[in-house]
Amino acid sequence: MAKLNFKKGETVQVIAGEEKGKQGRVLTIMFNDRRAIVEGLNMISKHTKPNAENQQGGIVKQEASIHLSNLMLVDPGTGEPTRIGRKRDNNGKLVRYSIKSGEIIK
């Protein structure tokens, strides 16, 4: 199974599509679908019936998923999008690092 470059809570930038250039925090990753939901991006209008949670019903704005190939991790140090590599640290543990800056990503 392939490894993912992102984790929940990390900042990513959209590199393709309607939201290109925008950044947001990863809320959810759908591993099997290779998609992620990013906070405030790819908003859709969903029509909902009245229920216990939403007494009125109506139209609700919410985030839709974005394919992982259209996202790139933002380097915490520089604030710019970067590719991710993997290498072993001094303890022999596999860690992610930024290809651009060479810094380890925690």
Side-chain angles (χ1 to χ4, degrees):
M1 228 180 250
K3 295 257 184 189
L4 300 180
N5 292 333
F6 318 114
K7 292 181 181 176
K8 185 176 171 181
E10 290 183 327
T11 304
V12 293
Q13 181 168 332
V14 180
I15 59 171
E18 220 173 275
E19 304 281 341
K20 183 177 180 177
K22 296 182 182 176
Q23 294 184 357
R25 192 169 49 90
V26 175
L27 298 176
T28 310
I29 294 181
M30 293 167 267
F31 188 82
N32 293 336
D33 298 332
R34 309 281 297 168
R35 298 179 79 81
I37 294 179
V38 182
E39 186 176 40
L41 298 181
N42 202 24
M43 299 297 283
I44 58 168
S45 298
K46 184 173 181 181
H47 298 260
T48 59
K49 285 185 173 182
N51 57 29
E53 288 178 20
N54 187 1
Q55 298 288 334
Q56 279 304 114
I59 301 170
V60 177
K61 290 284 221 179
Q62 68 182 40
E63 294 96 352
S65 64
I66 301 173
H67 198 271
L68 294 177
S69 66
N70 296 329
L71 299 175
M72 192 175 243
L73 185 70
V74 173
D75 189 354
T78 62
E80 293 188 16
T82 181
R83 288 178 295 141
I84 302 300
R86 287 184 171 77
K87 64 181 177 183
R88 300 225 177 254
D89 65 356
N90 297 336
N91 302 330
K93 187 176 179 187
L94 196 64
V95 293
R96 298 179 306 154
Y97 73 98
S98 166
I99 298 281
K100 252 185 191 174
S101 65
E103 293 180 34
I104 292 175
I105 298 171
K106 302 233 181 292

